[in-house]
Short mmCIF file of all heavy atoms in Angstrom, two decimals:
data_model
loop_
_atom_site.label_atom_id
_atom_site.label_comp_id
_atom_site.label_asym_id
_atom_site.label_seq_id
_atom_site.Cartn_x
_atom_site.Cartn_y
_atom_site.Cartn_z
N ILE A 1 -1.61 -4.14 -4.97
CA ILE A 1 -0.93 -5.00 -4.05
C ILE A 1 -1.05 -6.49 -4.53
O ILE A 1 -2.19 -6.95 -4.60
CB ILE A 1 -1.47 -4.82 -2.56
CG1 ILE A 1 -1.36 -3.41 -2.09
CG2 ILE A 1 -0.78 -5.88 -1.64
CD1 ILE A 1 -1.88 -3.15 -0.84
N LEU A 2 0.07 -7.01 -4.74
CA LEU A 2 0.23 -8.47 -5.26
C LEU A 2 0.28 -9.48 -4.15
O LEU A 2 -0.20 -10.58 -4.18
CB LEU A 2 1.36 -8.58 -6.19
CG LEU A 2 1.46 -7.83 -7.48
CD1 LEU A 2 2.69 -8.07 -8.15
CD2 LEU A 2 0.25 -8.11 -8.35
N ASP A 3 0.99 -9.08 -3.00
CA ASP A 3 1.30 -9.90 -1.95
C ASP A 3 1.67 -9.10 -0.77
O ASP A 3 2.21 -8.03 -0.85
CB ASP A 3 2.35 -10.91 -2.28
CG ASP A 3 2.13 -12.22 -1.50
OD1 ASP A 3 1.39 -12.32 -0.54
OD2 ASP A 3 2.86 -13.27 -1.90
N MET A 4 1.55 -9.67 0.50
CA MET A 4 2.00 -9.09 1.71
C MET A 4 2.05 -10.12 2.73
O MET A 4 1.32 -11.10 2.78
CB MET A 4 0.97 -7.88 2.08
CG MET A 4 -0.41 -8.41 2.40
SD MET A 4 -1.75 -7.10 2.55
CE MET A 4 -0.98 -5.73 3.32
N ASN A 5 2.96 -9.93 3.63
CA ASN A 5 3.06 -10.91 4.74
C ASN A 5 2.14 -10.49 5.80
O ASN A 5 1.51 -9.33 5.82
CB ASN A 5 4.49 -11.08 5.16
CG ASN A 5 5.09 -9.86 5.95
OD1 ASN A 5 4.56 -8.78 5.98
ND2 ASN A 5 6.23 -10.15 6.56
N GLN A 6 2.02 -11.34 6.84
CA GLN A 6 0.93 -11.05 7.78
C GLN A 6 1.36 -9.71 8.68
O GLN A 6 0.38 -9.00 9.07
CB GLN A 6 0.82 -12.24 8.78
CG GLN A 6 -0.29 -12.09 9.85
CD GLN A 6 -1.67 -11.85 9.07
OE1 GLN A 6 -2.04 -12.57 8.28
NE2 GLN A 6 -2.41 -10.89 9.52
N ARG A 7 2.59 -9.52 8.94
CA ARG A 7 3.04 -8.26 9.60
C ARG A 7 2.54 -7.03 8.87
O ARG A 7 2.10 -6.02 9.41
CB ARG A 7 4.48 -8.28 9.86
CG ARG A 7 5.06 -7.04 10.63
CD ARG A 7 4.43 -7.10 12.02
NE ARG A 7 4.77 -6.00 12.81
CZ ARG A 7 4.19 -5.48 13.84
NH1 ARG A 7 3.06 -6.11 14.24
NH2 ARG A 7 4.60 -4.37 14.43
N SER A 8 2.65 -7.07 7.55
CA SER A 8 2.26 -5.89 6.69
C SER A 8 0.70 -5.77 6.85
O SER A 8 0.28 -4.65 6.96
CB SER A 8 2.58 -6.13 5.22
OG SER A 8 2.07 -5.13 4.44
N ALA A 9 -0.02 -6.88 6.82
CA ALA A 9 -1.47 -6.80 7.06
C ALA A 9 -1.80 -6.22 8.40
O ALA A 9 -2.77 -5.44 8.52
CB ALA A 9 -2.09 -8.21 6.80
N ASP A 10 -1.04 -6.70 9.44
CA ASP A 10 -1.35 -6.21 10.80
C ASP A 10 -1.12 -4.74 10.92
O ASP A 10 -1.95 -3.98 11.50
CB ASP A 10 -0.42 -6.97 11.82
CG ASP A 10 -0.74 -8.50 11.86
OD1 ASP A 10 -1.87 -8.82 11.45
OD2 ASP A 10 0.13 -9.21 12.45
N VAL A 11 -0.04 -4.30 10.30
CA VAL A 11 0.28 -2.85 10.42
C VAL A 11 -0.44 -1.92 9.49
O VAL A 11 -0.92 -0.86 9.95
CB VAL A 11 1.85 -2.60 10.09
CG1 VAL A 11 2.23 -1.23 9.96
CG2 VAL A 11 2.71 -3.31 11.13
N ASN A 12 -0.80 -2.51 8.34
CA ASN A 12 -1.40 -1.49 7.23
C ASN A 12 -2.97 -1.70 7.26
O ASN A 12 -3.66 -0.77 6.68
CB ASN A 12 -0.78 -1.76 5.97
CG ASN A 12 0.67 -1.34 5.98
OD1 ASN A 12 0.96 -0.24 6.31
ND2 ASN A 12 1.53 -2.15 5.55
N SER A 13 -3.51 -2.83 7.63
CA SER A 13 -4.90 -2.93 7.40
C SER A 13 -5.59 -3.80 8.46
O SER A 13 -6.56 -4.61 8.08
CB SER A 13 -5.11 -3.65 5.98
OG SER A 13 -4.43 -4.89 5.92
N GLY A 14 -5.24 -3.68 9.71
CA GLY A 14 -5.91 -4.27 10.79
C GLY A 14 -5.94 -5.76 10.73
O GLY A 14 -6.79 -6.40 11.27
N GLY A 15 -4.93 -6.37 10.16
CA GLY A 15 -4.77 -7.83 10.02
C GLY A 15 -5.37 -8.46 8.87
O GLY A 15 -5.09 -9.63 8.56
N GLU A 16 -6.03 -7.64 8.01
CA GLU A 16 -6.61 -8.20 6.80
C GLU A 16 -5.63 -8.09 5.62
O GLU A 16 -5.18 -7.01 5.35
CB GLU A 16 -7.92 -7.50 6.46
CG GLU A 16 -8.60 -7.98 5.16
CD GLU A 16 -9.87 -7.19 4.87
OE1 GLU A 16 -10.30 -6.38 5.69
OE2 GLU A 16 -10.35 -7.38 3.80
N LYS A 17 -5.37 -9.14 4.92
CA LYS A 17 -4.59 -9.01 3.77
C LYS A 17 -5.37 -8.39 2.67
O LYS A 17 -6.49 -8.87 2.24
CB LYS A 17 -4.04 -10.32 3.29
CG LYS A 17 -3.02 -10.91 4.31
CD LYS A 17 -2.26 -12.01 3.69
CE LYS A 17 -1.24 -12.45 4.64
NZ LYS A 17 -0.26 -13.54 4.07
N ILE A 18 -4.93 -7.26 2.16
CA ILE A 18 -5.74 -6.41 1.19
C ILE A 18 -5.10 -6.58 -0.18
O ILE A 18 -4.94 -5.57 -0.96
CB ILE A 18 -5.81 -4.86 1.61
CG1 ILE A 18 -4.43 -4.40 1.93
CG2 ILE A 18 -6.71 -4.89 2.79
CD1 ILE A 18 -4.47 -2.87 2.25
N ILE A 19 -4.83 -7.88 -0.53
CA ILE A 19 -4.24 -8.10 -1.87
C ILE A 19 -5.30 -7.78 -2.94
O ILE A 19 -6.52 -8.03 -2.75
CB ILE A 19 -3.84 -9.62 -2.02
CG1 ILE A 19 -2.67 -9.88 -0.99
CG2 ILE A 19 -3.52 -9.96 -3.38
CD1 ILE A 19 -2.45 -11.31 -0.76
N GLY A 20 -4.89 -6.97 -3.99
CA GLY A 20 -5.78 -6.52 -4.99
C GLY A 20 -6.05 -5.01 -4.78
O GLY A 20 -6.48 -4.32 -5.75
N ASN A 21 -5.95 -4.53 -3.62
CA ASN A 21 -6.23 -3.08 -3.42
C ASN A 21 -5.07 -2.23 -3.94
O ASN A 21 -3.93 -2.80 -4.17
CB ASN A 21 -6.33 -2.77 -1.81
CG ASN A 21 -7.66 -3.25 -1.28
OD1 ASN A 21 -8.35 -4.12 -1.81
ND2 ASN A 21 -8.02 -2.63 -0.16
N ASN A 22 -5.30 -1.05 -4.14
CA ASN A 22 -4.33 -0.14 -4.75
C ASN A 22 -3.66 0.72 -3.73
O ASN A 22 -4.26 1.38 -2.84
CB ASN A 22 -4.98 0.74 -5.84
CG ASN A 22 -3.99 1.42 -6.69
OD1 ASN A 22 -3.31 2.41 -6.38
ND2 ASN A 22 -3.72 0.82 -7.92
N LEU A 23 -2.37 0.83 -3.78
CA LEU A 23 -1.53 1.74 -2.85
C LEU A 23 -1.94 3.14 -2.85
O LEU A 23 -1.92 3.83 -1.89
CB LEU A 23 -0.05 1.63 -3.22
CG LEU A 23 0.68 0.32 -3.04
CD1 LEU A 23 2.05 0.33 -3.54
CD2 LEU A 23 0.60 -0.14 -1.61
N TYR A 24 -2.40 3.63 -4.10
CA TYR A 24 -2.75 5.02 -4.12
C TYR A 24 -3.96 5.37 -3.35
O TYR A 24 -4.24 6.53 -3.01
CB TYR A 24 -2.91 5.46 -5.59
CG TYR A 24 -1.70 5.33 -6.35
CD1 TYR A 24 -1.56 4.45 -7.49
CD2 TYR A 24 -0.62 6.18 -6.09
CE1 TYR A 24 -0.48 4.36 -8.19
CE2 TYR A 24 0.58 5.99 -6.87
CZ TYR A 24 0.65 5.18 -7.95
OH TYR A 24 1.80 5.05 -8.61
N HIS A 25 -4.87 4.36 -2.99
CA HIS A 25 -5.98 4.58 -2.23
C HIS A 25 -5.78 4.69 -0.79
O HIS A 25 -6.61 5.15 0.01
CB HIS A 25 -7.05 3.52 -2.57
CG HIS A 25 -7.51 3.56 -3.92
ND1 HIS A 25 -7.85 2.36 -4.56
CD2 HIS A 25 -7.64 4.45 -4.96
CE1 HIS A 25 -8.17 2.56 -5.82
NE2 HIS A 25 -8.05 3.90 -6.04
N CYS A 26 -4.59 4.29 -0.30
CA CYS A 26 -4.32 4.22 1.12
C CYS A 26 -3.18 5.15 1.48
O CYS A 26 -2.48 5.04 2.53
CB CYS A 26 -4.14 2.77 1.71
SG CYS A 26 -2.89 1.81 0.78
N HIS A 27 -2.76 6.03 0.63
CA HIS A 27 -1.66 6.94 0.85
C HIS A 27 -2.17 8.36 0.61
O HIS A 27 -2.91 8.62 -0.37
CB HIS A 27 -0.44 6.70 -0.10
CG HIS A 27 0.38 5.47 0.29
ND1 HIS A 27 -0.03 4.23 0.06
CD2 HIS A 27 1.48 5.48 1.08
CE1 HIS A 27 0.90 3.42 0.57
NE2 HIS A 27 1.79 4.06 1.20
N PRO A 28 -1.71 9.41 1.43
CA PRO A 28 -2.05 10.69 1.09
C PRO A 28 -1.40 11.32 -0.24
O PRO A 28 -0.46 10.64 -0.67
CB PRO A 28 -1.51 11.52 2.37
CG PRO A 28 -0.43 10.59 2.95
CD PRO A 28 -0.77 9.14 2.54
N PRO A 29 -1.84 12.28 -0.72
CA PRO A 29 -1.39 12.78 -2.05
C PRO A 29 0.18 12.90 -2.15
O PRO A 29 0.80 12.58 -3.12
CB PRO A 29 -2.02 14.19 -2.19
CG PRO A 29 -3.30 14.07 -1.35
CD PRO A 29 -2.95 13.20 -0.16
N ARG A 30 0.79 13.57 -1.11
CA ARG A 30 2.27 13.60 -1.18
C ARG A 30 3.00 12.19 -1.28
O ARG A 30 3.80 12.06 -2.09
CB ARG A 30 2.79 14.33 0.07
CG ARG A 30 4.26 14.59 0.04
CD ARG A 30 4.79 15.37 1.22
NE ARG A 30 6.20 15.30 1.38
CZ ARG A 30 7.00 14.37 1.79
NH1 ARG A 30 6.52 13.28 2.23
NH2 ARG A 30 8.30 14.46 1.76
N ALA A 31 2.52 11.37 -0.56
CA ALA A 31 3.16 10.00 -0.62
C ALA A 31 2.76 9.27 -1.95
O ALA A 31 3.61 8.58 -2.49
CB ALA A 31 2.59 9.11 0.55
N ALA A 32 1.66 9.44 -2.41
CA ALA A 32 1.26 8.89 -3.71
C ALA A 32 2.10 9.49 -4.82
O ALA A 32 2.50 8.78 -5.76
CB ALA A 32 -0.23 9.24 -3.97
N GLU A 33 2.45 10.73 -4.75
CA GLU A 33 3.30 11.33 -5.78
C GLU A 33 4.76 10.88 -5.67
O GLU A 33 5.33 10.58 -6.77
CB GLU A 33 3.32 12.87 -5.60
CG GLU A 33 3.91 13.66 -6.72
CD GLU A 33 3.22 13.36 -8.11
OE1 GLU A 33 1.99 13.28 -8.02
OE2 GLU A 33 3.93 13.12 -9.09
N ILE A 34 5.15 10.52 -4.57
CA ILE A 34 6.55 9.94 -4.36
C ILE A 34 6.47 8.52 -4.96
O ILE A 34 7.39 8.11 -5.70
CB ILE A 34 7.00 9.80 -2.84
CG1 ILE A 34 7.22 11.21 -2.38
CG2 ILE A 34 8.20 8.90 -2.74
CD1 ILE A 34 7.41 11.36 -0.83
N LEU A 35 5.48 7.75 -4.71
CA LEU A 35 5.27 6.48 -5.32
C LEU A 35 5.28 6.51 -6.84
O LEU A 35 5.97 5.70 -7.51
CB LEU A 35 4.07 5.73 -4.87
CG LEU A 35 4.02 5.26 -3.38
CD1 LEU A 35 2.57 4.79 -2.97
CD2 LEU A 35 4.98 4.12 -3.16
N ARG A 36 4.58 7.41 -7.47
CA ARG A 36 4.51 7.59 -8.87
C ARG A 36 5.97 7.90 -9.45
O ARG A 36 6.30 7.37 -10.46
CB ARG A 36 3.56 8.72 -9.30
CG ARG A 36 2.14 8.32 -9.17
CD ARG A 36 1.24 9.56 -9.70
NE ARG A 36 -0.17 9.20 -9.53
CZ ARG A 36 -0.90 9.38 -8.45
NH1 ARG A 36 -0.24 9.93 -7.34
NH2 ARG A 36 -2.11 9.03 -8.30
N SER A 37 6.68 8.68 -8.70
CA SER A 37 8.07 8.96 -9.10
C SER A 37 8.93 7.71 -9.05
O SER A 37 9.75 7.38 -9.92
CB SER A 37 8.63 10.11 -8.32
OG SER A 37 9.98 10.27 -8.53
N LEU A 38 8.74 6.91 -8.03
CA LEU A 38 9.54 5.64 -7.87
C LEU A 38 9.23 4.73 -8.96
O LEU A 38 10.17 4.12 -9.60
CB LEU A 38 9.23 4.93 -6.57
CG LEU A 38 9.56 5.76 -5.33
CD1 LEU A 38 9.15 4.97 -4.08
CD2 LEU A 38 11.04 5.99 -5.29
N TYR A 39 7.93 4.51 -9.38
CA TYR A 39 7.58 3.70 -10.54
C TYR A 39 8.18 4.33 -11.82
O TYR A 39 8.66 3.47 -12.65
CB TYR A 39 6.08 3.57 -10.55
CG TYR A 39 5.36 2.69 -9.57
CD1 TYR A 39 4.68 3.19 -8.64
CD2 TYR A 39 5.58 1.33 -9.54
CE1 TYR A 39 4.01 2.43 -7.68
CE2 TYR A 39 4.95 0.53 -8.69
CZ TYR A 39 4.13 1.07 -7.70
OH TYR A 39 3.57 0.30 -6.76
#
């Protein structure tokens, strides 16, 4: 994660901006596979 607005932080991480974290760590396997395909 390079950047996120405050609404993203509120919805995805309890209000904390988790810049630097990895999307694969916060998605279930099926969603992570979809992300890999998009990339």
Side-chain angles (χ1 to χ4, degrees):
I1 298 171
L2 299 176
D3 209 347
M4 60 193 325
N5 70 349
Q6 189 58 49
R7 184 64 183 157
S8 176
D10 293 343
V11 169
N12 295 309
S13 55
E16 178 186 352
K17 291 195 175 184
I18 52 172
I19 294 168
N21 286 20
N22 193 281
L23 294 175
Y24 296 117
H25 298 148
C26 54
H27 284 82
R30 180 179 173 278
E33 194 55 41
I34 292 169
L35 287 171
R36 283 184 185 84
S37 175
L38 297 178
Y39 285 112

